Amino acid sequence: MFVVGAILIVLAIIVVIYVTFATRNLDPLSIDWGPFTAALTPLQLFFLGAAAILVLAIGAVMFSIGLRTQGSKRAEVKRLRKEVEKSQADQPAQQDAGSSRDSRRDSSNTEKSSKASADAADRDTGSNSSGSSSASGSQKQTSKLPPPLPPRDSTPPPPRSGV
């Protein structure tokens, strides 16, 4: 690849030198672009063509780089979407297993809370049939519950003085 590039550079230099010496004594050409008219020598016309080809080549390279970048972004998004779909497909199975466990926990918590409320009702009515075991049972239930959260203070902070 290096050798081919070096050969092309040498050929381009030879062509530029030839055009420079071959068009030295030629008269300028009159070029009419509608409202604009230009008088260019053949050498100037040659260099304008070379500049146009150079701009075209740079544009083609930038276009291909943009297409590659866009393609890689699309591939990355597609890969990430597949990962998300796979994790979501795995997640309902885990949620189903987790929800059955949660429902069992909820039912046991409901049973425990109903026992605690029955014990409290027994204490309120004074018909404590199970004696001290009922009181200790309700005490065990309340110790498993998390402590209540303190109320939130919703008052705004006092304004700052500019002193």
Side-chain angles (χ1 to χ4, degrees), residues 14-30:
I14 291 171
V15 168
V16 168
I17 291 171
Y18 173 75
V19 170
T20 303
F21 287 119
T23 61
R24 192 177 349 177
N25 295 328
L26 294 177
D27 294 330
L29 302 169
S30 178

Side-chain angles (χ1 to χ4, degrees), residues 44-107:
Q44 290 171 337
L45 193 59
F46 173 78
F47 285 127
L48 283 175
I53 290 173
L54 183 64
V55 168
L56 178 69
I58 290 171
V61 168
M62 292 177 100
F63 184 75
S64 67
I65 289 171
L67 284 178
R68 269 188 255 135
T69 304
Q70 190 177 19
S72 65
K73 283 182 183 178
R74 269 196 219 119
E76 179 72 12
V77 167
K78 188 176 181 180
R79 184 185 64 80
L80 290 174
R81 284 184 180 160
K82 283 183 180 180
E83 286 180 12
V84 167
E85 288 174 2
K86 184 180 177 184
S87 68
Q88 286 178 348
D90 293 343
Q91 192 175 18
Q94 292 173 355
Q95 285 180 349
D96 291 343
S99 65
S100 64
R101 279 185 260 142
D102 290 343
S103 64
R104 279 184 253 141
R105 276 191 214 141
D106 291 343
S107 64

Side-chain angles (χ1 to χ4, degrees), residues 83-161:
E83 286 180 12
V84 167
E85 288 174 2
K86 184 180 177 184
S87 68
Q88 286 178 348
D90 293 343
Q91 192 175 18
Q94 292 173 355
Q95 285 180 349
D96 291 343
S99 65
S100 64
R101 279 185 260 142
D102 290 343
S103 64
R104 279 184 253 141
R105 276 191 214 141
D106 291 343
S107 64
S108 66
N109 286 342
T110 307
E111 291 171 3
K112 290 176 184 177
S113 63
S114 64
K115 287 179 184 177
S117 62
D119 289 341
D122 286 344
R123 279 195 309 266
D124 290 343
T125 58
S127 60
N128 194 353
S129 59
S130 59
S132 64
S133 65
S134 172
S136 65
S138 65
Q139 201 174 27
K140 288 179 186 175
Q141 292 296 327
T142 56
S143 66
K144 289 185 180 179
L145 296 175
L149 296 174
R152 288 190 175 184
D153 186 20
S154 61
T155 58
R160 295 179 122 186
S161 62

